Amino acid sequence: MTDSLTIRRPDDWHVHLRDGAMLAGVAEYTARQFARAIVMPNLSPPVTTTDAARAYRERILAAVPDGLSFEPLMTAYLTDSTDPADLARGKAEGVLTAAKLYPANATTNSAHGVTDIAHLAPVFAAMEEAGLLLCIHGEVTTSDIDVFDREAVFIERHLSRIVRDFPGLKVVLEHITTSEGVAFVEAAGPNVAGTITPQHLHINRNAMLVGGIRPHAYCLPVAKREEHRLALRKAATSGSGKFFLGTDSAPHARHDKESACGCAGIFNAPFALESYVTVFDEEDALDRFEQFASLAGPAFYGLPVNEETVTLRRGDAAVPETIEAGGTAVVPFHAGETLSWRLVA
Ligand code: DOR
Ligand code: ZN
């Protein structure tokens, strides 16, 4: 039995770090676990331009405690009025790594998202030309589509076209939650990849709805049926370069989640690696954890792998019921549980 695992330091290819007091409270959790992270731009107001991304990057760096090395990789939030030239400039100046497509009203702070994806053609063309990646929240938002079908319908209606029409564009289908998402990424060319969160590897929709409604298991895309969770576990642990780590850690104050209209988002940053490695252990795939956590992402993004290493050891990691951040209590993923792996260095 493997009791200790040393791998290159991982990166998080999808995280919400927020701003202000919450940023100051949560940045260290991500910076302790990861060397780099793709930082989501869904602030209020969103980060829509190169200048705004540059300023946000400075605020993130100021929030990382001394002694931790962490590189935020910035994204711009696409809107109906995104300027393609600004995105190209952001890439050329080393500010932007990717742009993020939120269909309007798909999730938290996405009201300014894109209302008609077809109108983004000039933006996608400029990104393809500039080598700027496209990160996609892949859910349709039309009221006729059941919330559990939103990802599969998005793939059919939109993603397949984007990938067909812009073959040189690198596309990440983020936080995939369905077997359809897995199948699409597998079948697509090498310019298409998917990230997978720890929660979608651990829970299915029962965790949210059985025995009472459990707001801390609610995120978007919402967890699906068990068959989908199993497909995600298979994809994550397959050793394929097309699936890599993206936590989608998304802190919200406890009172905003435990509410009549609770916010979507799971705060998993404090024990993200412990959570993921538990899955790889359960799937007898510890030898493929480094590929998922530390190698596949940099290869897809065209970035160097990290030189430092981290070590995980078998042993108890007790997850607290709440964590204070930004002057408020936040409930972490696995709250009150004891995970069987610890990050030791
Ligand atoms: O659950 C989610 N929370 N999904 C998202 O796409 C956004 C995120 C957030 O910002 O809270
Ligand atoms: Zn997200």
Side-chain angles (χ1 to χ4, degrees):
M1 186 153 78
T2 309
D3 289 325
S4 173
L5 192 62
T6 297
I7 59 171
R8 282 181 191 266
R9 197 161 167 228
D11 303 299
D12 183 353
W13 300 97
H14 179 134
V15 70
H16 299 267
L17 293 178
R18 312 302 192 208
D19 210 350
M22 188 61 91
L23 167 62
V26 303
E28 72 170 287
Y29 295 110
T30 293
R32 265 194 219 152
Q33 296 230 327
F34 300 105
R36 296 170 290 200
I38 287 280
V39 181
M40 289 298 117
N42 64 331
L43 304 182
S44 184
V47 178
T48 54
T49 63
T50 295
D51 286 347
R54 188 187 275 113
Y56 184 32
R57 182 168 68 183
E58 290 308 311
R59 299 199 296 281
I60 295 166
L61 289 171
V64 173
D66 291 343
L68 292 177
S69 79
F70 174 68
E71 185 185 359
L73 303 173
M74 306 310 294
T75 62
Y77 179 117
L78 298 178
T79 70
D80 289 340
S81 50
T82 295
D83 173 10
D86 180 59
L87 295 185
R89 182 170 67 91
K91 167 71 182 173
E93 292 179 2
V95 177
L96 296 179
T97 301
K100 170 78 186 228
L101 169 60
Y102 285 106
N105 303 315
T107 185
T108 309
N109 292 339
S110 62
H112 301 274
V114 173
T115 58
D116 184 355
I117 294 174
H119 286 155
L120 279 182
V123 171
F124 293 157
M127 291 174 62
E128 186 177 34
E129 169 81 25
L132 190 66
L133 269 92
L134 176 63
C135 294
I136 300 185
H137 183 110
E139 291 194 285
V140 293
T141 54
T142 46
S143 57
D144 57 316
I145 302 300
D146 188 279
V147 70
F148 291 99
D149 297 332
R150 285 178 160 201
E151 182 173 290
V153 174
F154 183 91
I155 291 168
E156 197 183 291
R157 286 194 190 162
H158 300 290
L159 185 58
S160 47
R161 285 194 197 179
I162 296 171
V163 166
R164 181 196 67 198
D165 294 348
F166 301 93
L169 183 64
K170 279 192 186 173
V171 176
V172 183
L173 180 58
E174 302 194 282
H175 41 54
I176 51 177
T177 60
T178 58
S179 59
E180 289 89 344
V182 169
F184 182 84
V185 170
E186 274 172 350
N191 59 320
V192 178
T195 57
I196 305 180
T197 75
Q199 58 265 23
H200 294 113
L201 295 171
H202 279 280
I203 64 173
N204 62 31
R205 63 194 197 176
N206 282 11
M208 209 172 34
L209 297 169
V210 171
I213 190 152
R214 298 176 194 272
H216 299 292
Y218 174 58
C219 66
L220 289 170
V222 72
K224 308 291 193 299
R225 287 177 182 275
E226 177 66 358
E227 69 197 63
H228 297 288
R229 185 181 76 99
L230 296 179
L232 294 168
R233 283 172 85 103
K234 196 162 168 227
T237 59
S238 67
S240 158
K242 295 188 129 238
F243 300 99
F244 44 85
L245 186 159
T247 63
D248 200 11
S249 182
H252 290 277
R254 177 182 193 154
H255 58 83
D256 288 334
K257 290 199 55 81
E258 296 175 7
S259 144
C261 184
C263 295
I266 294 180
F267 179 48
N268 58 33
F271 294 88
L273 290 174
E274 293 88 336
S275 179
Y276 278 116
V277 78
T278 301
V279 171
F280 278 71
D281 190 15
E282 288 165 0
E283 296 290 327
D284 204 10
L286 288 173
D287 58 326
R288 295 194 280 276
F289 187 52
E290 184 176 40
Q291 164 75 346
F292 177 77
S294 316
L295 303 178
F300 188 78
Y301 271 80
L303 293 169
V305 294
N306 297 312
E307 287 305 324
E308 322 89 86
T309 59
V310 297
T311 297
L312 290 143
R313 280 221 184 98
R314 205 179 286 282
D316 288 354
V319 180
E321 295 285 356
T322 60
I323 287 177
E324 288 297 315
T328 191
V330 182
V331 177
F333 186 44
H334 298 297
E337 292 174 35
T338 299
L339 297 169
S340 51
W341 284 81
R342 295 184 291 125
L343 181 62
V344 290

